[in-house]
Amino acid sequence: MKIDRLMGILTVLLQSKQVTALELARRFEVSRRTISRDIDALCQAGIPIITQQGFGGGISIVEGFKLDKSVLTAAELGDLIAALRGIGSVGNETRIQRTLDKLGAGESAVISLPEPVVIDLASYYKTDLTAKIEAIKQAVLERRLISFDYYYSKGNDHRQIEPYFAVFKWADWYVFGFCTERQDWRIFKLNRLWNLLVTQTTFDLRDIPPDRRDFGNHWQGNHTLVAIFDKSVRYQLIETYGLDCYTETPEGLHFEVSFDNIDFYLSWLLSFGGKVKVLQPPELAEQIKTAAKNILKQYS
């Protein structure tokens, strides 16, 4: 939008002593003619802009001119900038940078803010992840079904869902939506999801049950895990579930949690090796025994 570009140009001029029309055209991905019209529009709005022709010339703003940024406090602006940079780690970098420019958050920003918080939401598969999130955003906004191949412990399936959210939770990215095959709400991890396609088929929005909006329910359920952990892995339990997640006993750390996703907890428990013993449920304990026997065979 033109107003967005005008605000962006104004912010760049406030941050720079001088900039050329060619630099602005490249930055905002428009022609030099468009930049010239934008500069004229800013002048008509009362912004004191100076243009100098020839070698060493360029566009600048009268020294001392400042915009009122009092709408947000420095702390609020800092939080907003940190959040935007986090989204920028997996989003459209050009669009995010333009937004940061408007907030005066460039490298030579008018407002100098300390940055004690660094947020990086990307992963090893950043390029693929960014493309998936952009496609899901498009599908949600246009209410289009998405289809994909999904890989999990039992193999892989081809799924089609009505997407509602791209979700960052449990240190990973997911897509939440209504699965047309299962006729139920499901959540899928993006790093297990491939060959994503935004289809031409549209859908009508459904009311999401309140309990399904609580994405934490994905890990909770009708089963209860009871286990004894070695005291040496105390920090790992605290890291995941907090200080009050266990009871200290002579045998070790007594731990209980409700769950529904057996595959997740099987992988999690196996990561502790011989430093955990599952007491309940018995079927999970049997799966761990089987997995341990298979591991032993690999090295026999």
Side-chain angles (χ1 to χ4, degrees):
M1 295 177 61
K2 182 176 179 179
I3 187 64
D4 291 339
R5 191 172 64 249
L6 290 175
M7 288 299 296
I9 291 172
L10 181 55
T11 306
V12 171
L13 292 175
L14 284 167
Q15 295 174 2
S16 310
K17 279 192 175 182
Q18 186 171 271
V19 64
T20 67
L22 180 59
E23 288 175 296
L24 290 174
R26 287 174 177 169
R27 184 163 192 161
F28 293 96
E29 300 174 358
V30 294
S31 67
R32 293 178 66 174
R33 184 182 296 274
T34 298
I35 292 298
S36 295
R37 288 196 293 264
D38 289 343
I39 295 300
D40 289 341
L42 288 172
C43 289
Q44 291 172 13
I47 307 299
I49 295 175
I50 302 171
T51 58
Q52 293 179 311
Q53 304 296 325
F55 180 77
I59 305 166
S60 60
I61 199 164
V62 171
E63 188 174 351
F65 180 82
K66 293 184 179 180
L67 289 178
D68 183 9
K69 295 186 178 69
S70 61
V71 175
L72 294 175
T73 66
E76 290 168 339
L77 187 56
D79 290 343
L80 183 56
I81 289 169
L84 282 169
R85 287 198 168 123
I87 293 297
S89 65
V90 290
N92 184 303
E93 293 183 5
T94 301
R95 187 168 64 240
I96 295 296
Q97 187 56 50
R98 289 178 187 171
T99 306
L100 289 169
D101 285 343
K102 293 173 192 175
L103 292 171
E107 292 181 0
S108 56
V110 175
I111 298 177
S112 178
L113 291 171
E115 296 185 48
V117 177
V118 177
I119 303 173
D120 190 342
L121 302 178
S123 71
Y124 182 78
Y125 302 102
K126 178 179 178 179
T127 302
D128 295 309
L129 184 62
T130 299
K132 290 173 185 176
I133 292 173
E134 288 294 325
I136 290 167
K137 285 167 60 178
Q138 174 197 344
V140 171
L141 293 174
E142 297 177 2
R143 298 183 188 177
R144 295 187 183 277
L145 294 176
I146 60 173
S147 65
F148 50 84
D149 295 325
Y150 195 67
Y151 296 81
Y152 60 115
S153 61
K154 296 179 181 178
N156 64 285
D157 283 333
H158 186 74
R159 296 292 184 92
Q160 183 171 264
I161 71 168
E162 301 168 1
Y164 281 73
F165 302 106
V167 182
F168 183 78
K169 198 171 180 68
W170 314 293
D172 277 303
W173 281 95
Y174 299 80
V175 58
F176 173 78
F178 190 83
C179 179
T180 59
E181 178 185 346
R182 304 295 173 86
Q183 287 294 296
D184 197 6
W185 300 96
R186 291 287 189 271
I187 191 164
F188 301 90
K189 183 180 285 190
L190 293 196
N191 280 344
R192 296 180 182 175
L193 179 160
W194 296 93
N195 300 320
L196 174 63
L197 174 67
V198 179
T199 74
Q200 295 302 309
T201 305
T202 59
F203 64 92
D204 294 324
L205 289 178
R206 302 171 187 266
D207 291 328
I208 305 174
D211 62 315
R212 305 311 291 270
R213 280 184 174 272
D214 182 1
F215 301 117
N217 285 337
H218 179 65
W219 295 144
Q220 301 172 1
N222 300 320
H223 304 288
T224 300
L225 167 66
V226 181
I228 299 294
F229 285 84
D230 188 87
K231 294 180 181 180
S232 64
V233 299
R234 182 197 313 268
Y235 73 98
Q236 290 175 268
L237 294 179
I238 292 173
E239 176 184 320
T240 307
Y241 290 98
L243 277 173
D244 301 321
C245 67
Y246 62 85
T247 302
E248 193 156 349
T249 70
E251 293 77 25
L253 307 177
H254 182 92
F255 174 85
E256 292 189 22
V257 67
S258 62
F259 73 97
D260 194 32
N261 192 322
I262 290 181
D263 292 336
F264 169 79
Y265 276 94
L266 177 61
S267 299
W268 182 66
L269 291 164
L270 285 171
S271 71
F272 289 93
K275 295 186 177 181
V276 60
K277 181 179 180 179
V278 173
L279 305 180
Q280 296 290 338
E283 59 269 28
L284 182 55
E286 287 300 320
Q287 288 187 47
I288 290 177
K289 287 181 186 178
T290 300
K293 289 176 182 177
N294 290 335
I295 292 171
L296 184 60
K297 285 181 183 178
Q298 292 287 350
Y299 293 94
S300 297

